[in-house]
Amino acid sequence: MNSTTKQRTYEVRTYGCQMNVHDSERLAGLLEDAGYVEGEFDNSDVVVFNTCAVRENADNKLYGTLGILATKKKEHPGMQIAVGGCLAQKDRQTILDRAPWVDVVFGTHNIGSLPALLERARHNEEAQLEIVESLENFPSNLPTKRDSTYAAWVSISVGCNNTCTFCIVPSLRGKERDRRPGEILAEIASLVQEGVIEITLLGQNVNTYGVEFGDRGAFAKLLRACGQIEGLERVRFTSPHPAAFTDDVIEAMAETPNVMPSLHMPLQSGSDSILKAMKRSYRSEKYLGILDRVRAAMPDAAITTDIIVGFPGETEQDFLDTMTVVEKSRFAASYTFQYSKRPGTPAAEFDDQLPKHVVQERYERLLAQVNDIAWKENQKLIGTEVEVLIANNEGRKDAATNRLTGRARDNRLVHIGLPEGIEAPRPGDLVTVRVTEAAPYHLIADATEPGQVTVRRTRAGDAWDLAQAASCGVPASGSSTGGKSVSLGVPTIKRS
């Protein structure tokens, strides 16, 4: 590319789960590796949609946005639109039929093809549709552009071997494929070398990791191995499946200091008959037993969940059974959803679909319950100390409230007010402070005197300084090394 050629810009818009967020980091990395540069929202040469197919409103939102972009594309010669992810894997040609101005449609198994497909579409002046039916190369080998210098996703598996009747993901992501432990640990070590101090292990059913290579204890072993990586301060994972959640994982969580006391454990329903209809291979008693054992091993663990309201055939008693399990579970947060009929899933063909007004009324009752429980659980933390990893852009009102925001070890969101005289921590630094207020889904920790707060400057904060300096061309300042060049170091494995 000569000096007079304008670099093409891109933006990636992400819908759906953490797997999609991580895939979008790879899409951005691929595009930048191909010579694109990140552009402004709604003003880029290439717009990539990484889609979700779990809920109906994801379809509606995508096609509505594509309609808006049709006009913009006419006004922007050379603009390209690409649609990938689970909805693309499902709808395929339908996307081009409904939005013929789309240039590229690609699926969940071939995200690495995006730059080539964009170039082919531009050269041939016709849309490119490429869907691969199974994963050929594990996507973690692809270039990645992360927004965070201090936290990273690490995919340990893709796909799912379950057959939940409400879920379309297995047909779109395929059967479970597991990475080898050494490859995962090498990636984590490399991330730590770059300054990352928190990683989240990702999988559709993260705790079934190892099933492909015949080691049912592999996930617990992987957690313990993460505990041996010097410089790695926080390890999380999502999402496990209750049916496969074993005591060796609980023990590994409790006995590995850098594995955080937080657990996202999808319930979906508290009714055994509905769980059976969903083909969820556990029942409410087993689910509650898991929570009891987790809390016995980690009394301060914060447990969150997913719940579906209005599944076909759900009676009022089924719904009350769910509310009973929720009351017993005392979730720190609950992500509640109204059942959404998804074409291609068995549940979409069930006869006993519920009227919208019934589902809405139950949803509102459940939402009131889970919010009340979360608030009461958070109120118990007032007066306790929390260690908060300062985040970038997690607090939407930080500028207005003059606070910083981050996550406690148990993954609760904490808004921190610092007294005068305290040097502001950077994203990636760790702050220890006392909780002063609580709301259903966040904590407030306002320190009024310097002695009420401790700031620990970290390698992750140094990495943030370096990234900021690189982005604006000025020397790094305020790092724990006094602004000198920073060697983030090579992580080592602890030896017992």
Side-chain angles (χ1 to χ4, degrees):
M1 183 171 64
N2 62 49
S3 59
T4 62
T5 303
K6 177 181 178 291
Q7 281 186 288
R8 286 173 62 75
T9 58
Y10 77 90
E11 62 171 283
V12 180
R13 303 187 189 183
T14 308
Y15 303 97
C17 67
Q18 293 95 334
M19 295 290 285
N20 273 18
V21 173
H22 190 27
D23 282 348
S24 289
E25 292 180 337
R26 296 185 181 116
L27 292 170
L30 283 161
L31 290 170
E32 298 206 355
D33 208 44
Y36 295 82
V37 295
E38 187 172 11
E40 298 176 357
F41 178 80
D42 214 25
N43 190 33
S44 297
D45 299 313
V46 174
V47 180
V48 182
F49 293 90
N50 190 10
T51 62
C52 171
V54 172
R55 297 180 59 76
E56 185 177 14
N57 62 4
D59 295 41
N60 298 336
K61 186 172 183 179
L62 172 69
Y63 287 114
T65 305
L66 289 176
I68 294 170
L69 286 182
T71 302
K72 191 170 187 68
K73 188 175 181 184
K74 291 178 182 178
E75 301 168 350
H76 188 153
M79 179 180 176
Q80 290 184 291
I81 301 170
V83 179
C86 288
L87 186 63
Q89 188 81 19
K90 177 176 77 73
D91 282 4
R92 308 185 181 205
Q93 182 63 41
T94 301
I95 294 173
L96 296 178
D97 293 340
R98 292 183 61 174
W101 52 92
V102 168
D103 299 276
V104 171
V105 176
F106 63 102
T108 56
H109 301 308
N110 64 321
I111 63 176
S113 301
L114 176 60
L117 291 171
L118 287 168
E119 185 57 33
R120 194 187 308 161
R122 187 163 55 156
H123 180 271
N124 296 347
E125 296 184 347
E126 65 178 7
Q128 301 296 308
L129 168 65
E130 183 175 292
I131 302 293
V132 177
E133 297 302 334
S134 61
L135 189 69
E136 295 175 352
N137 296 298
F138 210 96
S140 286
N141 298 322
L142 299 174
T144 302
K145 181 190 176 184
R146 293 182 291 106
D147 288 333
S148 171
T149 56
Y150 50 87
W153 309 102
V154 176
S155 183
I156 68 171
S157 64
V158 294
C160 177
N161 294 342
N162 292 314
T163 56
C164 301
T165 56
F166 58 82
C167 185
I168 198 168
V169 169
S171 66
L172 304 178
R173 291 276 183 177
K175 291 291 186 180
E176 181 172 329
R177 295 279 303 277
D178 296 329
R179 296 174 71 191
R180 300 301 299 186
E183 182 184 336
I184 295 167
L185 293 170
E187 180 181 353
I188 295 171
S190 177
L191 289 166
V192 172
Q193 181 180 352
E194 296 172 11
V196 167
I197 61 172
E198 176 180 287
I199 59 101
T200 301
L201 304 174
L202 285 181
Q204 244 78 43
N205 291 304
V206 69
N207 57 312
T208 59
Y209 171 73
V211 65
E212 189 184 28
F213 52 83
D215 184 356
R216 294 186 179 276
F219 185 62
K221 295 173 187 174
L222 183 63
L223 291 178
R224 292 184 185 277
C226 287
Q228 297 298 306
I229 298 178
E230 289 281 3
L232 180 61
E233 304 216 16
R234 294 186 171 193
V235 178
R236 305 188 188 279
F237 58 87
T238 195
S239 285
H241 193 293
F245 203 77
T246 49
D247 288 348
D248 62 332
V249 173
I250 298 174
E251 291 164 5
M253 291 176 68
E255 295 169 6
T256 309
N258 64 354
V259 176
M260 295 295 95
S262 64
L263 176 65
H264 185 74
M265 182 65 71
L267 170 63
Q268 307 302 3
S269 175
S271 162
D272 288 350
S273 62
I274 294 299
L275 289 171
K276 183 178 180 180
M278 289 177 166
K279 285 197 173 180
R280 300 285 288 180
S281 48
Y282 58 89
R283 299 296 177 258
S284 58
E285 184 178 356
K286 176 173 182 173
Y287 183 91
L288 290 169
I290 292 170
L291 269 53
D292 287 343
R293 294 195 297 280
V294 168
R295 286 176 171 139
M298 294 169 286
D300 296 330
I303 300 173
T304 59
T305 198
D306 298 325
I307 304 170
I308 297 172
V309 179
F311 188 79
E314 181 187 80
T315 65
E316 176 65 13
Q317 186 57 54
D318 291 326
F319 176 69
L320 293 176
D321 289 345
T322 294
M323 294 190 76
T324 297
V325 174
V326 167
E327 184 65 35
K328 292 178 179 178
S329 299
R330 311 303 298 174
F331 295 117
S334 302
Y335 302 92
T336 55
F337 305 93
Q338 297 184 37
Y339 170 73
S340 178
K341 193 180 195 180
R342 305 307 294 132
T345 62
E349 305 301 321
F350 290 178
D351 293 331
D352 40 4
Q353 306 287 328
L354 271 61
K356 170 66 177 175
H357 72 275
V358 172
V359 179
Q360 182 67 35
E361 188 274 336
R362 289 177 184 171
Y363 173 78
E364 290 173 2
R365 270 193 283 163
L366 181 62
L367 192 62
Q369 182 194 34
V370 298
N371 285 347
D372 181 65
I373 290 172
W375 192 12
K376 288 176 179 175
E377 291 301 303
N378 279 355
Q379 286 175 320
K380 295 177 183 177
L381 298 175
I382 294 175
T384 64
E385 280 194 343
V386 289
E387 181 195 68
V388 181
L389 174 59
I390 299 300
N392 180 40
N393 295 329
E394 275 221 64
R396 291 176 295 175
K397 299 179 181 179
D398 282 354
T401 60
N402 199 29
R403 290 190 174 102
L404 297 173
T405 296
R407 295 278 174 178
R409 288 173 57 84
D410 64 10
N411 211 33
R412 282 181 165 94
L413 191 68
V414 185
H415 303 300
I416 300 172
L418 295 176
E420 291 184 6
I422 293 289
E423 184 177 4
R426 307 154 299 177
D429 286 340
L430 291 161
V431 175
T432 301
V433 66
R434 198 170 296 277
V435 176
T436 54
E437 298 178 48
Y441 288 104
H442 69 262
L443 302 173
I444 293 176
D446 285 340
T448 57
E449 300 176 7
Q452 296 173 344
V453 59
T454 302
V455 177
R456 178 157 68 86
R457 298 171 74 78
T458 69
R459 296 165 64 254
D462 293 346
W464 169 264
D465 274 345
L466 289 175
Q468 293 300 102
S471 67
C472 61
V474 298
S477 62
S479 73
S480 60
T481 57
K484 299 177 182 178
S485 62
V486 178
S487 172
L488 295 176
V490 178
T492 59
I493 304 299
K494 295 178 186 174
R495 302 297 180 190
S496 55

